[in-house]
Amino acid sequence: MTPAAPPSFAQAVTERTRRLQTRLCVGLDPRSGTYRDAAHLRSHTLDVLEATAPYAACVKPQLAFFEALGLPGFTLLEEVCAAARTLGLPVILDGKRGDIGSTAEAYAQGWLSGPHAGDALTVNPFLGFETLTPFVGAARANGGAIFVLVKTSNPDQADLQGSGISERVAAEVARLGETEGGEYASVGAVVGATHPADLGHFRALMPRALLLLPGLGAQGATPDDLAAAFHPGGTGALASASRAVQYALGLDVTASREAARRLRDGLNGALR
């Protein structure tokens, strides 16, 4: 008898959302200047991951902070991914990768398969929609997902994402997911939590896309801002907080755990 295929990223994160009643994505941004040394950075990052896991639907390591550490950073990233999977946490790698041709294929291979791959990857579409093809293919082949930048959380996103550009990207995200079965497609979208008035609009444009909502906490978004991004029952979106959790009170891991719990509870309250 052929064993059943493991759940896809979309299935796993949605099942965890329902089972644990959490829509929180815990971001990990290990900032080297904050720690005594590399060992301290490693232990604190792994401790925060373990402490916040009960309140998280998934975890999102920010690749820039691991890359800045050089080879030890890649080793730590592999440890983080392995620990997250042991804890049952799907992993989104926040790399915002995007390029053309064989370079895009290499990025897709490196970050969606192999020893330090994530279950999902954030992807930049602004070199053209054809550049998404290798990432979509790798995600589907590995049961993963991509989150395409549609409307990012930073204030100056409007320089390039205004005048209907975000809507054009959203339409492509929706098109890519049209032929997939299941509740949610493997192609999701990044829509900043800092744009609460736009969340319902983008939810409607991409009905089968998981939405990743960065900007909760340190960038100013609150749980009450985000209800329009979710489907009935509280699925379809993941609200991401990084600094507000990992460094909630300096390097106090207990404070990180409590911050994750409060954000989880705040999101649940906003959806009642």
Side-chain angles (χ1 to χ4, degrees), residues 9-220:
F9 171 87
Q11 291 169 329
V13 80
T14 302
E15 187 277 332
R16 188 173 174 90
T17 290
R18 289 190 171 115
R19 178 167 51 85
L20 297 183
Q21 285 300 293
T22 178
R23 292 99 186 133
L24 178 65
C25 173
V26 171
L28 293 177
D29 298 2
R31 299 163 185 261
S32 59
T34 306
Y35 300 94
R36 294 188 303 271
D37 51 32
H40 187 206
L41 180 151
R42 173 187 174 276
S43 63
H44 180 260
T45 301
L46 292 169
D47 287 348
V48 168
L49 172 63
E50 183 173 8
T52 59
Y55 309 109
C58 59
V59 63
K60 182 175 71 64
Q62 167 53 258
L63 289 184
F65 293 99
F66 293 87
E67 291 170 347
L69 300 171
L71 184 57
F74 286 94
T75 301
L76 176 58
L77 179 63
E78 291 185 13
E79 284 191 84
V80 165
C81 290
R85 292 185 180 114
T86 298
L87 293 164
L89 279 170
V91 178
I92 303 172
L93 295 181
D94 193 355
K96 301 178 180 68
R97 292 302 192 261
D99 215 310
I100 62 172
S102 59
T103 309
E105 292 173 3
Y107 276 138
Q109 179 182 355
W111 296 117
L112 288 165
S113 66
H116 48 257
D119 303 300
L121 175 70
T122 58
V123 175
N124 186 336
F126 290 99
L127 277 75
F129 293 152
E130 183 60 30
T131 65
L132 298 177
T133 300
F135 296 102
V136 173
R140 289 174 176 167
N142 292 284
I146 62 171
F147 287 90
V148 180
L149 304 185
V150 170
K151 189 174 181 70
T152 55
S153 59
N154 54 308
D156 48 350
Q157 53 79 31
D159 293 346
L160 295 177
Q161 296 169 29
S163 302
I165 298 299
S166 290
E167 283 75 7
R168 287 177 59 188
V169 180
E172 180 65 9
V173 168
R175 187 192 70 80
L176 288 168
E178 281 175 352
T179 60
E180 294 187 25
E183 187 175 7
Y184 293 105
S186 63
V187 182
V190 176
V191 180
T194 51
H195 310 295
D198 297 326
L199 295 179
H201 172 59
F202 286 107
R203 174 75 283 164
L205 290 176
M206 299 174 287
R208 297 193 59 248
L210 287 171
L211 303 184
L212 178 62
L213 313 173
L216 183 62
Q219 292 187 59

